Amino acid sequence: MTLSSMSFVPSDLSTAEVEASEQLYGDLAQDVRLLVDVAIRARVDADRVAAARDLVRRAERILAEDASQEPAGIHFNTEGRSWNWGNAVVGVRNAIAPPVVLRWVDDETVRSEVDLGAAYEGPPSCVHGGVSALLLDHLMGECASAAHTRLIVTGTLTLRYRKPLPLGRIHMQAQITHEDDRKVTVTAHLGCEAYGDEPAVEATGLFIVPRWAREGSVSGSLD
Amino acid sequence: MTLSSMSFVPSDLSTAEVEASEQLYGDLAQDVRLLVDVAIRARVDADRVAAARDLVRRAERILAEDASQEPAGIHFNTEGRSWNWGNAVVGVRNAIAPPVVLRWVDDETVRSEVDLGAAYEGPPSCVHGGVSALLLDHLMGECASAAHTRLIVTGTLTLRYRKPLPLGRIHMQAQITHEDDRKVTVTAHLGCEAYGDEPAVEATGLFIVPRWAREGSVSGSLD
């Protein structure tokens, strides 16, 4: 298994068509996110669970007609728009993804806020430590790609857990702190309003620009 | 926000009742997992998406009747059975969780195999690096708890990404490599059949036994 610029698939879709599709299937994914959440919290009896399962299976059969057998992958068009609808963190069609929406402060700093509910629990009423790792890995990878001006892969990632992070609104930030040839160092933190400036989780990551990507014919994070 | 033994909630449910409930709601979560997956791969038109959304919303409304407003948490009964149905990695009621099922080789080594589909994608056709971190963090935390004979929290976690990991069947193992007073060191790796014994991701974690948990009045991993 190797990744290369061929991992990015060119598409004939116009940016307008991409955004219309994101709206259509993004709304579906949002409905599925609500279903995932309530399926954890539900207390109804077996008959009602059976009725809900029947509806879910009917929806699944409708969507399965002519469904692709492949994962979503990463696509781009001639207008320079790229999309990764199935991504586990930012994929607008993936109900597992919150989804995280990135805010670029500058080419070397990216921030995001996201609300994490019952589906992201680890310790009681807290965000799973591995979910914090998932979000930070992605945010840091996007940051290392310098706003998608180069393609990178994760080398090493170190996480320091300072405090338990309650479920709810969390904020995170990543910034490039060092660059050396093909190596990019990124630091990041994740926290919540109750902790103010004190991070709940701190992270340092070393990201690599693959040799095959140095010519810059493709760009973006492979996270 | 602090965690303590009070984070574990005693329950009047018998183990038989717990397992009946896990069957009922676990089957629902499995249906929702299939829906999450097909919602990423679907190619049907807007009318069919609308029909699927209507069914999903009807299922959501049925399950929302009298639903708890709290996340699932961690519960235990007088028979020594504990359950964390909403956990992001192992929660049987959580459609975000694959769910991972742990296999204890001995009190200091735990293994698991899991199939990861389109919802766990990062790089094209590959497992998201952050998903590998999520799974390893949980597996290592369970390992550090020595088969739930003590309660631990994650201190630091370091991940080394060696190779891109294709979506599909993956295997992972974690083992305790050092113990010193309240500190437990765990190493782990994650890979796939195509790579044989060569890991795709390696990890080292330092886990802490909180002072409040030393008396051993509770046990388990807070991951």
Side-chain angles (χ1 to χ4, degrees):
Chain A
M1 179 73 199
T2 57
L3 289 166
S4 73
S5 57
M6 303 306 292
S7 301
F8 288 71
V9 181
S11 168
D12 296 334
L13 287 179
S14 69
T15 296
E17 290 171 317
V18 167
E19 285 167 4
S21 184
E22 287 190 346
Q23 183 69 52
L24 177 68
Y25 285 103
D27 288 347
L28 168 66
Q30 191 53 37
D31 288 339
V32 177
R33 286 183 189 105
L34 296 176
L35 183 68
V36 168
D37 177 73
V38 77
I40 295 168
R41 299 183 292 102
R43 292 185 288 205
V44 293
D45 62 23
D47 289 346
R48 286 211 175 84
V49 171
R53 289 187 64 195
D54 179 63
L55 293 163
V56 170
R57 286 197 301 269
R58 284 166 58 192
E60 192 271 340
R61 282 194 295 273
I62 289 172
L63 297 171
E65 291 168 25
D66 186 41
S68 166
Q69 294 310 303
E70 300 301 316
I74 303 179
H75 302 262
F76 66 96
N77 66 15
T78 54
E79 299 170 64
R81 176 73 145 81
S82 67
W83 56 98
N84 53 351
W85 289 335
N87 184 277
V89 175
V90 297
V92 295
R93 289 186 57 164
N94 186 346
I96 283 183
V100 166
V101 178
L102 305 170
R103 262 188 318 116
W104 290 92
V105 178
D106 55 49
D107 280 2
E108 299 194 336
T109 309
V110 61
R111 290 182 185 153
S112 187
E113 295 79 37
V114 63
D115 294 303
L116 298 180
Y120 300 96
E121 187 179 36
S125 301
C126 291
V127 176
H128 193 298
V131 169
S132 295
L134 167 63
L135 299 181
L136 285 168
D137 171 74
H138 190 91
L139 190 76
M140 295 165 80
E142 294 265 8
C143 184
S145 77
H148 295 184
T149 57
R150 63 187 165 206
L151 196 145
I152 55 86
V153 295
T154 311
T156 65
L157 181 66
T158 301
L159 300 135
R160 287 168 294 282
Y161 292 87
R162 302 295 193 197
K163 298 161 165 282
L165 182 66
L167 290 170
R169 166 59 57 105
I170 67 151
H171 57 76
M172 46 190 166
Q173 175 175 318
Q175 52 278 316
I176 295 174
T177 51
H178 186 68
E179 296 192 35
D180 175 13
D181 187 27
R182 292 171 45 238
K183 298 178 179 176
V184 183
T185 303
V186 174
T187 58
H189 65 272
L190 188 151
C192 60
E193 189 171 6
Y195 292 155
D197 293 338
E198 284 189 83
V201 186
E202 295 176 304
T204 304
L206 178 64
F207 296 84
I208 314 294
V209 179
R211 294 190 187 286
W212 51 260
R214 292 199 76 176
E215 71 280 0
S217 62
V218 293
S219 65
S221 163
L222 276 178
D223 282 332
Chain B
M1 178 75 197
T2 57
L3 289 166
S4 73
S5 58
M6 303 307 291
S7 301
F8 288 71
V9 180
S11 168
D12 296 334
L13 288 178
S14 70
T15 295
E17 290 170 317
V18 168
E19 285 166 4
S21 184
E22 287 191 346
Q23 184 69 52
L24 178 68
Y25 284 103
D27 288 346
L28 168 66
Q30 191 53 38
D31 288 339
V32 177
R33 287 183 189 103
L34 296 176
L35 183 68
V36 168
D37 178 73
V38 78
I40 295 168
R41 299 182 291 100
R43 291 185 288 206
V44 292
D45 62 22
D47 290 346
R48 285 211 175 85
V49 171
R53 288 186 64 194
D54 178 64
L55 292 164
V56 170
R57 286 196 301 268
R58 284 165 58 193
E60 192 272 339
R61 282 194 295 273
I62 289 172
L63 296 171
E65 292 167 26
D66 186 42
S68 166
Q69 294 310 303
E70 299 300 317
I74 304 178
H75 302 261
F76 65 97
N77 66 15
T78 55
E79 299 170 63
R81 175 74 146 82
S82 67
W83 56 99
N84 52 352
W85 289 335
N87 185 277
V89 175
V90 297
V92 295
R93 289 186 58 163
N94 187 345
I96 284 183
V100 166
V101 178
L102 304 170
R103 259 186 324 111
W104 291 92
V105 179
D106 55 47
D107 281 1
E108 299 194 335
T109 309
V110 60
R111 289 183 185 151
S112 187
E113 296 80 36
V114 63
D115 294 303
L116 298 180
Y120 300 95
E121 188 179 35
S125 300
C126 291
V127 176
H128 194 295
V131 169
S132 294
L134 168 63
L135 299 182
L136 285 168
D137 170 74
H138 190 92
L139 189 76
M140 294 165 80
E142 294 267 7
C143 183
S145 78
H148 296 184
T149 57
R150 65 186 163 206
L151 196 147
I152 55 86
V153 295
T154 310
T156 64
L157 181 66
T158 301
L159 301 135
R160 287 168 294 281
Y161 293 86
R162 303 295 194 198
K163 297 160 165 283
L165 183 65
L167 290 168
R169 167 59 56 105
I170 67 152
H171 56 76
M172 46 190 164
Q173 176 175 318
Q175 52 278 316
I176 295 173
T177 51
H178 187 67
E179 296 192 35
D180 175 12
D181 188 26
R182 293 170 45 237
K183 297 178 179 176
V184 183
T185 303
V186 174
T187 58
H189 64 272
L190 187 150
C192 60
E193 189 170 7
Y195 292 156
D197 294 338
E198 283 189 83
V201 186
E202 295 175 306
T204 303
L206 178 63
F207 296 85
I208 313 294
V209 180
R211 294 190 187 285
W212 52 260
R214 293 199 77 175
E215 72 281 359
S217 62
V218 293
S219 65
S221 163
L222 276 178
D223 282 330

